[in-house]
Amino acid sequence: MNFKKILTLSCCLTLALNMFTGCGSEKTDSSGSAAESTTQDSQSEVTEAEVTEAQEEEYEPEVVEVPELEGYSLLWNDEFSGKELDRTIWTYDPHEPGWTNSELQEYTTSEENVFTRDGKLVLKAIKTKDENGNAYYTSGKIKGQNLKDFMYGKVVARAKVPEGKGLWPAIWMMPTDEQHYGQWPKCGEIDIMEVLGHQTDTAYGTVHYGEPHGEQQGTYVLEGSDTFASDFHEFSVEWEPGEMRWYIDGNLYHTVNDWFSAVDGEDDKPYPAPFDQTFFVQLNLAVGGTWPGNPDATTDFEKAEFLIDYVRVYQKPEYDTNVTKPVPDFREPLEDGNYIYNGDFAEAEALDDEDNWRFLLFNEGEGSAEIKDNTLTVKTDAWGTEDYSVQIVQAELPMYKGSKYRLTFDACASEKRKMKVCISAPTSGWVRYLQDTPVGLTTEWQSYAYEFEMTKKTDHNGRLEFNLGRRSSLADVNIKNVRLVQVEEFSDDAVFVK
Protein backbone atom coordinates (compact mmCIF):
# COMPACT_ATOMS: atom_id res chain seq x y z
CA MET A 1 0.00 0.00 0.00
CA ASN A 2 1.17 3.52 -0.70
CA PHE A 3 2.84 5.03 2.38
CA LYS A 4 1.35 8.52 1.87
CA LYS A 5 -2.17 7.12 1.58
CA ILE A 6 -1.71 5.05 4.75
CA LEU A 7 -0.34 8.03 6.65
CA THR A 8 -3.28 10.18 5.54
CA LEU A 9 -5.79 7.49 6.57
CA SER A 10 -4.10 7.12 9.94
CA CYS A 11 -4.20 10.88 10.59
CA CYS A 12 -7.86 11.17 9.56
CA LEU A 13 -8.90 8.23 11.72
CA THR A 14 -6.95 9.58 14.69
CA LEU A 15 -8.62 12.96 14.25
CA ALA A 16 -12.02 11.30 14.14
CA LEU A 17 -11.18 9.32 17.25
CA ASN A 18 -10.28 12.48 19.12
CA MET A 19 -13.50 14.17 18.03
CA PHE A 20 -15.59 11.27 19.29
CA THR A 21 -13.66 11.17 22.54
CA GLY A 22 -14.27 14.90 23.00
CA CYS A 23 -18.05 14.51 22.54
CA GLY A 24 -18.16 11.70 25.08
CA SER A 25 -16.64 13.94 27.73
CA GLU A 26 -19.54 16.36 27.57
CA LYS A 27 -22.48 16.01 30.00
CA THR A 28 -25.65 14.34 28.65
CA ASP A 29 -29.06 13.53 30.11
CA SER A 30 -29.67 10.09 31.55
CA SER A 31 -32.02 9.03 28.74
CA GLY A 32 -29.37 9.24 25.98
CA SER A 33 -26.05 8.83 27.79
CA ALA A 34 -25.88 5.03 27.78
CA ALA A 35 -26.75 4.64 24.08
CA GLU A 36 -24.44 7.42 23.03
CA SER A 37 -21.62 6.02 25.16
CA THR A 38 -22.07 2.53 23.66
CA THR A 39 -22.08 3.95 20.14
CA GLN A 40 -19.01 6.06 20.82
CA ASP A 41 -17.10 3.12 22.36
CA SER A 42 -18.00 0.95 19.35
CA GLN A 43 -16.87 3.64 16.95
CA SER A 44 -13.66 4.12 18.97
CA GLU A 45 -12.92 0.37 18.89
CA VAL A 46 -13.46 0.20 15.12
CA THR A 47 -11.33 3.25 14.57
CA GLU A 48 -8.43 1.92 16.66
CA ALA A 49 -8.63 -1.42 14.86
CA GLU A 50 -8.59 0.28 11.49
CA VAL A 51 -5.61 2.37 12.52
CA THR A 52 -3.74 -0.71 13.73
CA GLU A 53 -4.62 -2.60 10.56
CA ALA A 54 -3.47 0.32 8.42
CA GLN A 55 -0.20 0.58 10.30
CA GLU A 56 0.43 -3.15 9.90
CA GLU A 57 -0.53 -2.96 6.23
CA GLU A 58 1.98 -0.18 5.77
CA TYR A 59 4.88 -2.57 6.41
CA GLU A 60 3.44 -5.70 4.82
CA PRO A 61 6.02 -7.00 2.31
CA GLU A 62 4.89 -7.23 -1.28
CA VAL A 63 4.48 -10.79 -2.49
CA VAL A 64 6.60 -11.24 -5.61
CA GLU A 65 6.30 -14.26 -7.86
CA VAL A 66 9.88 -15.20 -8.69
CA PRO A 67 10.16 -16.75 -12.16
CA GLU A 68 11.48 -20.26 -12.58
CA LEU A 69 14.49 -20.89 -14.79
CA GLU A 70 14.69 -24.09 -16.77
CA GLY A 71 17.32 -26.42 -15.37
CA TYR A 72 17.73 -24.38 -12.18
CA SER A 73 16.23 -24.24 -8.71
CA LEU A 74 15.96 -21.01 -6.73
CA LEU A 75 18.65 -21.03 -4.03
CA TRP A 76 17.85 -17.68 -2.42
CA ASN A 77 16.52 -14.27 -3.38
CA ASP A 78 15.76 -10.81 -2.07
CA GLU A 79 13.05 -8.69 -3.69
CA PHE A 80 13.71 -5.80 -1.24
CA SER A 81 9.99 -5.52 -0.51
CA GLY A 82 10.38 -5.23 3.26
CA LYS A 83 10.47 -2.04 5.29
CA GLU A 84 14.21 -2.39 5.91
CA LEU A 85 17.29 -4.36 4.88
CA ASP A 86 16.89 -8.11 5.46
CA ARG A 87 19.68 -8.87 7.91
CA THR A 88 19.29 -12.63 7.40
CA ILE A 89 20.63 -12.11 3.86
CA TRP A 90 22.88 -9.04 4.06
CA THR A 91 25.30 -7.41 6.43
CA TYR A 92 26.75 -3.91 6.24
CA ASP A 93 30.37 -3.60 5.15
CA PRO A 94 31.68 -0.34 6.65
CA HIS A 95 35.07 1.00 5.51
CA GLU A 96 37.01 4.21 5.82
CA PRO A 97 37.79 6.41 2.79
CA GLY A 98 40.67 5.15 0.67
CA TRP A 99 40.06 1.53 1.66
CA THR A 100 40.56 0.41 -1.95
CA ASN A 101 41.10 1.90 -5.43
CA SER A 102 41.76 5.35 -3.89
CA GLU A 103 37.99 5.76 -3.46
CA LEU A 104 36.70 8.79 -1.57
CA GLN A 105 33.64 7.44 0.24
CA GLU A 106 33.20 6.11 3.75
CA TYR A 107 30.92 3.07 3.70
CA THR A 108 28.59 3.41 6.70
CA THR A 109 25.84 1.50 8.48
CA SER A 110 23.55 4.53 8.33
CA GLU A 111 20.00 4.19 7.03
CA GLU A 112 20.67 7.38 5.10
CA ASN A 113 23.09 5.42 2.92
CA VAL A 114 21.36 2.03 2.85
CA PHE A 115 17.58 1.68 2.90
CA THR A 116 14.58 0.25 1.06
CA ARG A 117 11.97 2.29 -0.75
CA ASP A 118 9.03 1.23 -2.92
CA GLY A 119 10.28 -2.34 -3.18
CA LYS A 120 13.83 -1.35 -4.11
CA LEU A 121 17.13 -1.33 -2.26
CA VAL A 122 18.69 2.13 -2.31
CA LEU A 123 22.41 2.69 -1.92
CA LYS A 124 22.82 6.44 -1.67
CA ALA A 125 26.01 8.48 -1.90
CA ILE A 126 25.92 11.65 0.19
CA LYS A 127 28.24 14.63 -0.06
CA THR A 128 28.93 16.54 3.16
CA LYS A 129 31.88 18.44 4.62
CA ASP A 130 34.42 17.40 7.23
CA GLU A 131 35.57 19.50 10.19
CA ASN A 132 37.97 21.39 7.91
CA GLY A 133 35.30 22.26 5.37
CA ASN A 134 36.52 19.78 2.78
CA ALA A 135 34.18 17.59 0.74
CA TYR A 136 33.40 14.32 2.51
CA TYR A 137 31.42 11.44 1.02
CA THR A 138 29.47 8.60 2.58
CA SER A 139 27.81 5.73 0.78
CA GLY A 140 26.46 2.20 1.15
CA LYS A 141 27.92 -1.27 0.72
CA ILE A 142 26.32 -4.56 1.74
CA LYS A 143 27.42 -8.19 1.39
CA GLY A 144 26.09 -11.70 1.92
CA GLN A 145 29.29 -13.12 3.42
CA ASN A 146 28.67 -15.95 5.94
CA LEU A 147 24.93 -15.58 5.32
CA LYS A 148 24.27 -16.57 1.70
CA ASP A 149 27.50 -18.12 0.46
CA PHE A 150 27.32 -20.59 -2.42
CA MET A 151 29.46 -22.36 -5.02
CA TYR A 152 28.33 -22.31 -8.67
CA GLY A 153 25.03 -20.94 -9.87
CA LYS A 154 23.32 -18.17 -11.81
CA VAL A 155 23.10 -14.72 -10.20
CA VAL A 156 20.43 -12.41 -11.59
CA ALA A 157 20.01 -8.79 -10.50
CA ARG A 158 17.86 -5.98 -11.84
CA ALA A 159 19.18 -2.50 -11.19
CA LYS A 160 19.29 1.13 -12.24
CA VAL A 161 22.49 3.12 -11.82
CA PRO A 162 23.04 6.79 -10.96
CA GLU A 163 24.50 9.21 -13.46
CA GLY A 164 27.34 11.56 -12.55
CA LYS A 165 31.09 11.89 -12.79
CA GLY A 166 32.85 9.87 -10.12
CA LEU A 167 29.93 7.55 -9.28
CA TRP A 168 30.76 3.85 -9.54
CA PRO A 169 28.00 1.29 -8.82
CA ALA A 170 28.86 -2.41 -8.77
CA ILE A 171 27.35 -5.86 -8.28
CA TRP A 172 30.14 -8.34 -7.60
CA MET A 173 31.33 -11.46 -5.79
CA MET A 174 34.24 -12.39 -3.55
CA PRO A 175 35.23 -15.70 -1.90
CA THR A 176 34.00 -16.45 1.61
CA ASP A 177 37.54 -17.28 2.71
CA GLU A 178 39.83 -14.84 0.93
CA GLN A 179 42.91 -16.58 2.34
CA HIS A 180 42.09 -19.98 0.86
CA TYR A 181 44.31 -19.28 -2.15
CA GLY A 182 45.81 -16.07 -0.82
CA GLN A 183 44.98 -12.40 -0.90
CA TRP A 184 43.60 -10.68 -3.97
CA PRO A 185 44.00 -11.35 -6.84
CA LYS A 186 44.96 -14.97 -6.07
CA CYS A 187 41.61 -15.45 -4.30
CA GLY A 188 39.57 -14.49 -7.38
CA GLU A 189 36.81 -11.93 -7.98
CA ILE A 190 33.70 -12.01 -10.17
CA ASP A 191 32.30 -8.64 -11.22
CA ILE A 192 28.74 -9.10 -12.45
CA MET A 193 28.22 -5.45 -13.31
CA GLU A 194 30.14 -2.18 -13.12
CA VAL A 195 29.10 1.12 -14.70
CA LEU A 196 30.90 4.45 -14.64
CA GLY A 197 28.65 7.39 -13.84
CA HIS A 198 30.00 9.53 -16.69
CA GLN A 199 29.46 6.76 -19.26
CA THR A 200 26.15 5.14 -18.36
CA ASP A 201 25.52 3.54 -21.75
CA THR A 202 28.33 1.05 -21.06
CA ALA A 203 28.47 -1.83 -18.58
CA TYR A 204 31.38 -4.12 -17.76
CA GLY A 205 31.59 -7.76 -16.65
CA THR A 206 34.99 -8.84 -15.38
CA VAL A 207 36.81 -11.72 -13.72
CA HIS A 208 40.03 -11.20 -11.73
CA TYR A 209 42.53 -13.88 -10.74
CA GLY A 210 46.30 -14.52 -10.58
CA GLU A 211 49.13 -14.05 -9.56
CA PRO A 212 50.43 -12.20 -11.53
CA HIS A 213 47.12 -10.37 -11.67
CA GLY A 214 45.03 -11.56 -14.57
CA GLU A 215 41.71 -10.14 -15.66
CA GLN A 216 39.28 -10.61 -18.52
CA GLN A 217 36.64 -8.00 -19.16
CA GLY A 218 33.59 -7.88 -21.39
CA THR A 219 31.84 -4.68 -22.45
CA TYR A 220 28.16 -4.14 -23.30
CA VAL A 221 27.06 -0.87 -24.89
CA LEU A 222 23.40 0.12 -25.19
CA GLU A 223 22.21 1.50 -28.50
CA GLY A 224 20.23 4.68 -29.05
CA SER A 225 19.34 6.99 -26.18
CA ASP A 226 18.83 4.24 -23.59
CA THR A 227 21.31 4.12 -20.71
CA PHE A 228 21.68 2.06 -17.58
CA ALA A 229 20.71 5.22 -15.67
CA SER A 230 17.50 5.91 -17.60
CA ASP A 231 15.84 2.58 -16.83
CA PHE A 232 16.26 -0.73 -15.01
CA HIS A 233 18.21 -3.52 -16.71
CA GLU A 234 18.86 -7.12 -15.74
CA PHE A 235 22.45 -8.25 -15.18
CA SER A 236 23.42 -11.89 -14.71
CA VAL A 237 26.34 -14.28 -14.62
CA GLU A 238 26.34 -18.04 -14.98
CA TRP A 239 29.17 -19.47 -12.91
CA GLU A 240 30.07 -23.10 -13.60
CA PRO A 241 33.17 -25.16 -12.73
CA GLY A 242 34.85 -24.60 -16.11
CA GLU A 243 33.19 -21.49 -17.52
CA MET A 244 31.54 -18.17 -16.68
CA ARG A 245 29.08 -16.33 -18.93
CA TRP A 246 27.84 -12.74 -18.57
CA TYR A 247 24.44 -11.48 -19.78
CA ILE A 248 22.57 -8.19 -19.90
CA ASP A 249 18.81 -8.35 -20.49
CA GLY A 250 19.32 -11.95 -21.56
CA ASN A 251 22.01 -11.15 -24.13
CA LEU A 252 25.29 -13.07 -23.79
CA TYR A 253 28.25 -10.70 -24.18
CA HIS A 254 31.24 -12.25 -22.38
CA THR A 255 32.57 -15.79 -21.78
CA VAL A 256 35.67 -16.84 -19.81
CA ASN A 257 37.09 -20.31 -19.22
CA ASP A 258 40.88 -19.96 -18.94
CA TRP A 259 41.65 -18.40 -15.57
CA PHE A 260 44.33 -19.52 -13.11
CA SER A 261 45.58 -19.00 -9.56
CA ALA A 262 49.23 -19.10 -8.54
CA VAL A 263 51.85 -17.46 -6.41
CA ASP A 264 54.01 -15.41 -8.74
CA GLY A 265 56.86 -17.59 -9.98
CA GLU A 266 55.25 -20.87 -8.86
CA ASP A 267 53.12 -23.45 -10.65
CA ASP A 268 49.39 -22.85 -11.08
CA LYS A 269 46.98 -24.28 -8.51
CA PRO A 270 44.81 -27.10 -9.89
CA TYR A 271 42.16 -25.73 -12.28
CA PRO A 272 39.49 -24.40 -11.76
CA ALA A 273 41.11 -22.63 -8.81
CA PRO A 274 40.39 -20.05 -7.49
CA PHE A 275 36.76 -20.40 -8.56
CA ASP A 276 36.15 -23.75 -6.87
CA GLN A 277 35.14 -22.37 -3.48
CA THR A 278 32.13 -20.56 -2.02
CA PHE A 279 31.58 -16.92 -2.95
CA PHE A 280 29.11 -14.27 -1.80
CA VAL A 281 27.33 -11.38 -3.52
CA GLN A 282 27.94 -7.75 -2.60
CA LEU A 283 26.48 -4.45 -3.75
CA ASN A 284 27.99 -1.00 -3.43
CA LEU A 285 28.09 2.55 -4.76
CA ALA A 286 31.63 3.93 -4.76
CA VAL A 287 32.60 7.58 -5.14
CA GLY A 288 35.78 8.44 -7.01
CA GLY A 289 38.68 6.09 -7.43
CA THR A 290 41.33 5.18 -9.94
CA TRP A 291 38.91 4.07 -12.64
CA PRO A 292 35.99 6.57 -12.72
CA GLY A 293 37.95 9.56 -11.45
CA ASN A 294 36.61 11.96 -8.83
CA PRO A 295 33.28 13.82 -8.85
CA ASP A 296 33.17 17.32 -10.30
CA ALA A 297 30.77 20.27 -10.26
CA THR A 298 28.36 18.45 -12.59
CA THR A 299 27.82 15.52 -10.19
CA ASP A 300 24.34 15.81 -8.66
CA PHE A 301 24.37 14.07 -5.28
CA GLU A 302 20.65 14.66 -4.84
CA LYS A 303 20.24 11.93 -7.46
CA ALA A 304 23.23 9.75 -6.49
CA GLU A 305 21.19 6.60 -5.83
CA PHE A 306 21.94 3.05 -6.94
CA LEU A 307 18.61 1.19 -7.10
CA ILE A 308 18.41 -2.60 -6.98
CA ASP A 309 15.05 -4.20 -7.69
CA TYR A 310 16.03 -7.77 -6.86
CA VAL A 311 18.88 -10.25 -6.47
CA ARG A 312 18.13 -13.90 -7.26
CA VAL A 313 20.51 -16.83 -7.10
CA TYR A 314 19.69 -20.09 -8.85
CA GLN A 315 21.55 -23.42 -8.91
CA LYS A 316 21.50 -26.51 -11.08
CA PRO A 317 20.84 -29.84 -9.31
CA GLU A 318 24.47 -30.83 -9.91
CA TYR A 319 27.63 -29.65 -11.64
CA ASP A 320 30.36 -31.62 -13.36
CA THR A 321 33.52 -30.64 -11.50
CA ASN A 322 35.78 -32.88 -13.61
CA VAL A 323 36.96 -30.05 -15.85
CA THR A 324 40.26 -29.27 -17.51
CA LYS A 325 41.65 -25.89 -18.46
CA PRO A 326 41.38 -25.27 -22.20
CA VAL A 327 44.64 -24.81 -24.03
CA PRO A 328 44.68 -21.28 -25.49
CA ASP A 329 45.25 -20.72 -29.18
CA PHE A 330 48.49 -18.95 -29.93
CA ARG A 331 48.55 -16.84 -33.06
CA GLU A 332 50.87 -18.11 -35.76
CA PRO A 333 53.16 -15.61 -37.45
CA LEU A 334 52.72 -14.77 -41.12
CA GLU A 335 55.03 -16.34 -43.66
CA ASP A 336 57.55 -13.52 -43.21
CA GLY A 337 57.60 -14.02 -39.41
CA ASN A 338 55.42 -11.01 -38.61
CA TYR A 339 52.94 -11.46 -35.74
CA ILE A 340 51.09 -8.28 -36.74
CA TYR A 341 48.22 -9.04 -39.08
CA ASN A 342 47.59 -6.43 -41.79
CA GLY A 343 50.69 -4.62 -40.61
CA ASP A 344 51.22 -3.26 -44.14
CA PHE A 345 47.64 -1.91 -44.13
CA ALA A 346 46.97 -3.50 -47.49
CA GLU A 347 43.39 -4.14 -46.35
CA ALA A 348 41.24 -1.11 -45.56
CA GLU A 349 39.58 -3.02 -42.72
CA ALA A 350 36.97 -1.72 -40.30
CA LEU A 351 38.49 -0.42 -37.08
CA ASP A 352 35.51 -0.94 -34.76
CA ASP A 353 35.65 -4.74 -34.39
CA GLU A 354 37.92 -7.33 -32.77
CA ASP A 355 39.68 -8.36 -35.99
CA ASN A 356 43.26 -7.16 -36.32
CA TRP A 357 43.36 -3.37 -35.77
CA ARG A 358 40.93 -1.54 -33.48
CA PHE A 359 40.48 2.18 -32.80
CA LEU A 360 39.42 3.10 -29.26
CA LEU A 361 38.45 6.25 -27.37
CA PHE A 362 38.30 6.71 -23.58
CA ASN A 363 38.17 9.43 -20.92
CA GLU A 364 37.12 12.42 -23.01
CA GLY A 365 39.25 11.45 -25.99
CA GLU A 366 37.75 12.24 -29.40
CA GLY A 367 38.95 11.40 -32.86
CA SER A 368 38.76 9.05 -35.84
CA ALA A 369 40.94 6.64 -37.79
CA GLU A 370 41.01 5.10 -41.24
CA ILE A 371 43.19 2.93 -43.45
CA LYS A 372 43.91 4.26 -46.93
CA ASP A 373 46.76 3.76 -49.42
CA ASN A 374 48.61 1.30 -47.15
CA THR A 375 48.65 3.85 -44.32
CA LEU A 376 46.78 4.11 -41.04
CA THR A 377 45.84 7.70 -40.21
CA VAL A 378 44.61 8.76 -36.75
CA LYS A 379 42.96 12.16 -36.34
CA THR A 380 42.68 13.52 -32.79
CA ASP A 381 39.92 16.04 -32.01
CA ALA A 382 40.35 15.98 -28.21
CA TRP A 383 43.30 14.29 -26.49
CA GLY A 384 41.41 13.38 -23.30
CA THR A 385 42.83 12.86 -19.84
CA GLU A 386 44.87 9.65 -20.30
CA ASP A 387 47.57 8.37 -22.63
CA TYR A 388 45.09 5.76 -23.84
CA SER A 389 42.24 8.24 -24.41
CA VAL A 390 42.99 7.97 -28.15
CA GLN A 391 44.57 4.72 -29.26
CA ILE A 392 44.96 2.20 -32.05
CA VAL A 393 45.63 -1.39 -30.92
CA GLN A 394 46.11 -4.95 -32.11
CA ALA A 395 45.64 -7.81 -29.63
CA GLU A 396 46.17 -11.60 -29.56
CA LEU A 397 49.93 -11.30 -29.90
CA PRO A 398 51.74 -14.38 -28.49
CA MET A 399 54.27 -13.47 -25.83
CA TYR A 400 56.52 -16.38 -24.86
CA LYS A 401 58.50 -16.16 -21.65
CA GLY A 402 62.23 -15.97 -22.39
CA SER A 403 61.77 -14.87 -26.01
CA LYS A 404 63.22 -11.73 -27.53
CA TYR A 405 61.17 -9.50 -29.81
CA ARG A 406 61.67 -6.59 -32.17
CA LEU A 407 58.90 -4.08 -32.96
CA THR A 408 59.39 -1.82 -36.01
CA PHE A 409 57.17 0.70 -37.79
CA ASP A 410 57.28 3.86 -39.88
CA ALA A 411 55.46 6.99 -38.73
CA CYS A 412 55.07 10.73 -39.27
CA ALA A 413 52.68 13.50 -38.18
CA SER A 414 51.13 16.58 -39.75
CA GLU A 415 53.24 18.60 -37.30
CA LYS A 416 55.83 17.74 -34.69
CA ARG A 417 54.31 15.82 -31.79
CA LYS A 418 54.68 12.75 -29.55
CA MET A 419 52.83 9.50 -29.01
CA LYS A 420 53.52 6.44 -26.85
CA VAL A 421 53.96 2.84 -27.91
CA CYS A 422 53.83 -0.28 -25.72
CA ILE A 423 52.90 -3.94 -25.70
CA SER A 424 50.52 -4.57 -22.82
CA ALA A 425 48.74 -7.51 -21.20
CA PRO A 426 44.98 -6.77 -21.19
CA THR A 427 44.15 -10.14 -19.60
CA SER A 428 47.17 -10.25 -17.28
CA GLY A 429 46.81 -7.15 -15.18
CA TRP A 430 47.89 -4.69 -17.88
CA VAL A 431 51.57 -5.32 -17.19
CA ARG A 432 53.92 -4.09 -19.90
CA TYR A 433 56.02 -6.48 -21.98
CA LEU A 434 57.32 -3.50 -23.93
CA GLN A 435 57.28 -0.54 -21.56
CA ASP A 436 55.38 2.68 -22.39
CA THR A 437 57.86 4.43 -24.67
CA PRO A 438 57.57 8.03 -25.97
CA VAL A 439 57.96 8.35 -29.72
CA GLY A 440 58.93 11.71 -31.18
CA LEU A 441 57.24 12.28 -34.54
CA THR A 442 58.09 14.81 -37.22
CA THR A 443 56.51 15.74 -40.53
CA GLU A 444 58.97 13.42 -42.30
CA TRP A 445 58.57 9.65 -42.38
CA GLN A 446 60.93 7.95 -39.95
CA SER A 447 61.58 4.33 -39.04
CA TYR A 448 61.46 3.21 -35.40
CA ALA A 449 62.72 -0.01 -33.80
CA TYR A 450 62.31 -1.28 -30.24
CA GLU A 451 63.58 -4.56 -28.82
CA PHE A 452 62.65 -6.27 -25.56
CA GLU A 453 62.88 -9.57 -23.74
CA MET A 454 59.71 -11.20 -22.50
CA THR A 455 60.32 -12.01 -18.82
CA LYS A 456 56.73 -12.55 -17.64
CA LYS A 457 54.45 -15.58 -17.68
CA THR A 458 53.71 -16.78 -21.23
CA ASP A 459 50.64 -14.99 -22.55
CA HIS A 460 48.63 -15.64 -25.72
CA ASN A 461 47.09 -12.16 -25.63
CA GLY A 462 49.71 -9.43 -25.75
CA ARG A 463 48.49 -6.15 -27.21
CA LEU A 464 50.34 -3.56 -29.29
CA GLU A 465 49.19 -0.02 -28.45
CA PHE A 466 49.82 3.29 -30.17
CA ASN A 467 48.59 5.86 -27.63
CA LEU A 468 47.88 9.42 -28.76
CA GLY A 469 45.95 10.73 -25.75
CA ARG A 470 46.98 13.38 -23.23
CA ARG A 471 49.40 15.00 -25.67
CA SER A 472 50.00 18.70 -26.29
CA SER A 473 49.23 18.38 -29.99
CA LEU A 474 46.21 17.31 -32.04
CA ALA A 475 48.29 16.71 -35.16
CA ASP A 476 47.29 13.80 -37.38
CA VAL A 477 49.48 10.70 -37.06
CA ASN A 478 50.30 8.35 -39.95
CA ILE A 479 51.63 4.81 -39.40
CA LYS A 480 52.69 2.06 -41.82
CA ASN A 481 54.81 -1.08 -42.09
CA VAL A 482 54.21 -2.38 -38.55
CA ARG A 483 56.12 -5.56 -37.70
CA LEU A 484 56.61 -7.64 -34.55
CA VAL A 485 59.03 -10.56 -34.87
CA GLN A 486 60.99 -12.88 -32.62
CA VAL A 487 64.77 -12.44 -32.74
CA GLU A 488 67.68 -14.54 -31.56
CA GLU A 489 69.96 -11.61 -30.79
CA PHE A 490 69.37 -7.91 -30.33
CA SER A 491 70.58 -5.58 -33.07
CA ASP A 492 72.96 -2.73 -32.30
CA ASP A 493 70.80 0.03 -33.79
CA ALA A 494 67.53 -0.76 -31.96
CA VAL A 495 66.30 0.84 -28.76
CA PHE A 496 66.54 -1.87 -26.08
CA VAL A 497 63.65 -1.86 -23.63
CA LYS A 498 63.55 -4.41 -20.81
Side-chain angles (χ1 to χ4, degrees):
M1 182 180 291
N2 184 278
F3 176 76
K4 292 183 178 179
K5 290 182 178 179
I6 294 173
L7 185 60
T8 302
L9 174 63
S10 176
C11 292
C12 290
L13 293 174
T14 302
L15 179 61
L17 178 62
N18 290 338
M19 291 176 62
F20 282 119
T21 304
C23 291
S25 64
E26 294 179 0
K27 292 183 179 180
T28 57
D29 58 36
S30 59
S31 61
S33 61
E36 288 177 359
S37 175
T38 301
T39 301
Q40 290 163 9
D41 289 344
S42 175
Q43 289 174 333
S44 297
E45 291 172 2
V46 171
T47 302
E48 290 171 351
E50 288 176 348
V51 171
T52 302
E53 181 181 354
Q55 290 173 337
E56 291 176 352
E57 217 175 308
E58 174 187 340
Y59 300 113
E60 183 177 346
E62 178 186 0
V63 178
V64 178
E65 185 175 346
V66 179
E68 296 181 354
L69 296 183
E70 184 177 357
Y72 288 91
S73 297
L74 184 65
L75 183 63
W76 64 266
N77 68 296
D78 194 347
E79 309 300 315
F80 301 109
S81 55
K83 65 177 182 178
E84 58 188 16
L85 185 69
D86 188 339
R87 299 302 298 277
T88 67
I89 298 177
W90 308 103
T91 183
Y92 295 102
D93 194 17
H95 288 283
E96 293 298 313
W99 165 62
T100 185
N101 302 315
S102 300
E103 295 165 17
L104 302 178
Q105 80 290 328
E106 175 193 354
Y107 286 127
T108 78
T109 60
S110 170
E111 292 185 357
E112 293 184 345
N113 296 119
V114 181
F115 56 93
T116 59
R117 183 183 67 213
D118 299 330
K120 309 289 189 298
L121 172 69
V122 183
L123 302 181
K124 184 175 179 61
I126 299 174
K127 180 180 180 180
T128 58
K129 290 186 178 181
D130 62 17
E131 62 275 10
N132 298 318
N134 300 316
Y136 192 85
Y137 305 90
T138 61
S139 193
K141 180 178 187 293
I142 61 171
K143 61 181 182 179
Q145 187 175 20
N146 298 317
L147 294 172
K148 294 295 180 180
D149 311 86
F150 61 98
M151 183 166 62
Y152 307 134
K154 181 179 178 105
V155 182
V156 183
R158 184 171 182 264
K160 180 181 178 182
V161 307
E163 186 174 16
K165 182 75 168 65
L167 299 179
W168 184 5
I171 304 171
W172 51 304
M173 298 169 61
M174 287 289 289
T176 307
D177 179 9
E178 189 172 331
Q179 299 304 318
H180 184 67
Y181 288 110
Q183 288 186 327
W184 191 95
K186 294 186 289 292
C187 63
E189 174 183 327
I190 305 169
D191 297 331
I192 302 169
M193 180 278 279
E194 294 176 282
V195 174
L196 306 181
H198 66 276
Q199 194 180 26
T200 56
D201 64 341
T202 304
Y204 303 89
T206 313
V207 61
H208 297 268
Y209 49 87
E211 181 172 56
H213 175 209
E215 67 176 54
Q216 298 187 53
Q217 185 174 84
T219 304
Y220 190 94
V221 181
L222 293 172
E223 298 180 354
S225 59
D226 189 20
T227 73
F228 295 106
S230 62
D231 203 353
F232 283 86
H233 291 268
E234 189 175 77
F235 308 89
S236 62
V237 66
E238 293 174 344
W239 167 30
E240 298 183 353
E243 187 170 280
M244 298 183 203
R245 298 175 292 273
W246 282 257
Y247 300 81
I248 290 182
D249 298 327
N251 301 307
L252 174 67
Y253 73 97
H254 187 40
T255 302
V256 177
N257 56 21
D258 57 347
W259 56 78
F260 68 92
S261 182
V263 175
D264 197 7
E266 297 183 7
D267 292 337
D268 291 358
K269 302 296 183 182
Y271 183 81
F275 301 107
D276 57 350
Q277 58 181 316
T278 61
F279 274 63
F280 60 90
V281 177
Q282 50 190 350
L283 315 166
N284 69 278
L285 175 57
V287 179
T290 51
W291 190 12
N294 292 340
D296 59 22
T298 67
T299 309
D300 185 357
F301 279 89
E302 292 298 321
K303 300 178 181 178
E305 295 184 345
F306 182 25
L307 307 179
I308 300 94
D309 188 15
Y310 54 74
V311 175
R312 299 165 180 167
V313 177
Y314 300 83
Q315 265 190 345
K316 292 181 178 180
E318 60 182 4
Y319 290 89
D320 181 6
T321 58
N322 185 23
V323 294
T324 57
K325 183 177 179 178
V327 178
D329 292 328
F330 282 79
R331 172 184 286 191
E332 294 293 332
L334 301 173
E335 290 184 0
D336 62 356
N338 190 7
Y339 282 106
I340 302 295
Y341 288 7
N342 197 27
D344 58 2
F345 301 111
E347 178 189 349
E349 64 176 279
L351 300 174
D352 58 355
D353 57 27
E354 301 286 345
D355 295 332
N356 301 334
W357 295 103
R358 189 176 185 188
F359 180 66
L360 299 169
L361 297 170
F362 301 97
N363 295 79
E364 304 176 26
E366 296 179 14
S368 61
E370 67 170 344
I371 297 174
K372 184 177 181 181
D373 299 330
N374 297 94
T375 302
L376 169 68
T377 300
V378 180
K379 296 181 180 292
T380 305
D381 299 321
W383 52 65
T385 61
E386 306 295 334
D387 290 340
Y388 57 81
S389 290
V390 180
Q391 65 176 189
I392 189 80
V393 306
Q394 184 164 150
E396 300 183 3
L397 304 178
M399 295 280 105
Y400 297 100
K401 184 176 181 178
S403 294
K404 299 176 181 179
Y405 294 86
R406 179 188 299 123
L407 171 68
T408 58
F409 58 90
D410 300 334
C412 69
S414 58
E415 64 180 37
K416 187 177 180 180
R417 64 161 294 170
K418 288 185 177 181
M419 68 176 180
K420 282 188 176 181
V421 63
C422 74
I423 295 180
S424 66
T427 54
S428 295
W430 296 102
V431 298
R432 297 298 196 256
Y433 305 134
L434 169 62
Q435 298 300 320
D436 294 277
T437 306
V439 181
L441 303 176
T442 69
T443 57
E444 300 295 327
W445 283 100
Q446 296 186 72
S447 296
Y448 301 87
Y450 302 92
E451 294 183 348
F452 62 97
E453 183 177 4
M454 168 59 178
T455 60
K456 306 293 185 181
K457 184 185 180 80
T458 294
D459 182 7
H460 70 288
N461 190 31
R463 188 172 87 159
L464 172 62
E465 301 180 9
F466 292 103
N467 292 311
L468 288 78
R470 200 168 61 175
R471 302 293 100 193
S472 58
S473 173
L474 298 176
D476 298 347
V477 171
N478 304 302
I479 302 171
K480 62 182 181 182
N481 299 328
V482 185
R483 293 179 56 80
L484 177 69
V485 298
Q486 284 182 289
V487 295
E488 294 298 326
E489 295 182 358
F490 294 119
S491 58
D492 295 332
D493 57 348
V495 176
F496 177 62
V497 180
K498 184 176 180 181

